[in-house]
Every structure is written in structure tokens, then in C-alpha cells.
Amino acid sequence: MDGVIYSGETLIQGADKFITLLLEKNIPFTFMTNNSQRTPLEVTRKLKLLGIEVGEEHVYTSAMATGKFLGEQGPGGTAYVLGEGGLLTSLHENGITLVNTDPEFVVLGEGRNFTLEMVQRAVDMILGGAKFITTNRDPSPKKPGWNNLGIAATTAMIEEASGRKAFVTGKPSPVMMRSARKFLGLETAETTVIGDTMETDIQGGVQMGYKTILVLSGIAKKEDLSHYAFKPDLVVASVEEIQLPLKWW
């Protein structure tokens, strides 16, 4: 969403009209976000403030993908969680019991409410045999005043301290890319990913065999595209330039 639909708190020009067009034509879509903090309801409320009115059925988060994945690993699983609202809700909805001792999984999501003491406890649990899951590895934007350390940094800290690599469930992981498609009820050939990052959105789509559209309204720069071994099917300045029906439909 950030970099495709809005930039920070500002709507990207034409994004609202593009979403309205999808709704009018009954084209199934979801806002696929790696942010695990917000619940779908909170995501729709932010979109509404920007002039886009959609339902919770149009939101798929890395928290939802993580909850579904762990729920499928076995009924009655247990987890120690470093994360907030959206992640906690999804795990609970998928039958995962949140515990403070002897968990099967340590699950890391975005957040500012956990302490170094909690991180140390998580490390001890992983050293004791718990499996380490992280909702995504999105880097910090490295901007002064940014209110979040960045989940990639926190993940790296726990990996270094525990000697264990995290299993990532969010974009570009096939776990999320596949479960988001199933959430929409689509087949692989029917699925198109629109994103502003080559490393997550486009790479994840390419690896799954989806069509991909890169927008240059966010992170990616046109002059950097030649650095990658893969490429999007279409490159546009923003979603405002996307013409429907798409040429591969």
C-alpha cells in the first residue's frame, strides 16, 4: 500500500480512482501488506481517511498469513510473540495459544512495545528449541525520526544472538504470496501483483508465476531495474497509468 496507494499520509494521485474502477468492474483484489501491526479493520479505517472505502475482505496482512501458516502446522500450537494487535489477533483466530514459557514458536512482528528483556527471553526460548518465525524482513527506511527500529534489524539481532535463521512468512515468501491468492479465490494465471519494490512485491510475484506491475511512485527507481535478474511485466509511473483490461487478460 505505502508507495502504491499512498505515501506516508498522502494519497498518491489517481489511486482512489483506480480502486473505484476495480470495485465497479467487480475485479477481485486485496491490499497485501507486510505490516503485521494493524488489523484489517484498522487498515480500512486509514484508507477511508484517504478517501478509499473498502471492506475488511479487501485486506490481507502478513499477520494473517502468519496465523494461517502456524494454524496449519498443527492444531493447538503455542507461541511467544513479540508483536502487536494485528498479529496477536490473527494468531488467536487461528487457534494458536500465546504463552510466556516453553512455546513451540517464537513469532516476531513489528512493534514498539516489547523490551530488550523480552527479546532476551525470546532468544533463550529459541536456544531451548522453539522455532523462530518473523512476519517479514522489511528494512527500516533509515530516515531521521522514524518511529520504528525496523523488523529486519530486530530479526537480525535475534538471529545473531540465537544462531538460528528466521523463517519468513511475509512478502516475498511463497507462504504469503500463495495464501493471498487463495484468499482471493484466484488461480495462478489469474493473479497480478502491483507493487513498488523489486525485492518484495515483484520478486515474490515472479517466483510464484504471477504477472507483475511495478509502480515508480514508491521505492523502486527506473534506472536501477537493470540490476535485477528478473523483471516486471509492466512498469508504470503510478497506478493512475494502469489501463484495464490488462493486456494479458
Side-chain angles (χ1 to χ4, degrees), residues 9 19 48 81 93-94 107 199:
E9 303 300 322
I19 298 304
K48 187 174 182 179
V81 182
E93 289 176 347
N94 283 276
V107 183
E199 295 87 351

Side-chain angles (χ1 to χ4, degrees), residues 17 35 163 173 239:
K17 294 178 181 177
N35 190 308
S173 168
V239 290

Side-chain angles (χ1 to χ4, degrees), residues 134-203:
T134 187
T135 59
N136 66 83
R137 292 196 79 119
D138 286 3
S140 167
K142 300 171 181 63
K143 296 177 181 177
W146 188 252
N147 63 2
N148 195 318
L149 177 62
I151 191 168
T154 314
T155 300
M157 177 170 61
I158 295 175
E159 287 179 333
E160 165 62 24
S162 67
R164 304 278 179 82
K165 286 291 183 182
F167 180 80
V168 184
T169 50
K171 300 180 295 182
S173 168
V175 171
M176 184 168 182
M177 304 304 289
R178 185 181 298 110
S179 60
R181 172 181 63 78
K182 291 182 177 180
F183 178 74
L184 283 171
L186 299 178
E187 299 297 329
T188 296
E190 298 173 315
T191 306
T192 299
V193 176
I194 303 172
D196 72 314
T197 63
M198 289 291 286
E199 295 87 351
T200 53
D201 306 312
I202 306 305
Q203 180 177 320

Side-chain angles (χ1 to χ4, degrees), residues 102-103 121-131 164:
D102 300 319
R121 187 184 306 168
V123 169
D124 286 343
M125 290 171 174
I126 294 168
L127 290 171
K131 303 169 187 69
R164 304 278 179 82

Side-chain angles (χ1 to χ4, degrees), residues 51-77:
I52 296 175
E53 294 202 35
V54 293
E56 293 177 57
E57 69 276 11
H58 289 118
V59 177
Y60 198 78
T61 71
S62 64
M64 296 166 67
T66 303
K68 182 173 175 57
F69 172 76
L70 291 185
E72 291 173 345
Q73 290 296 295

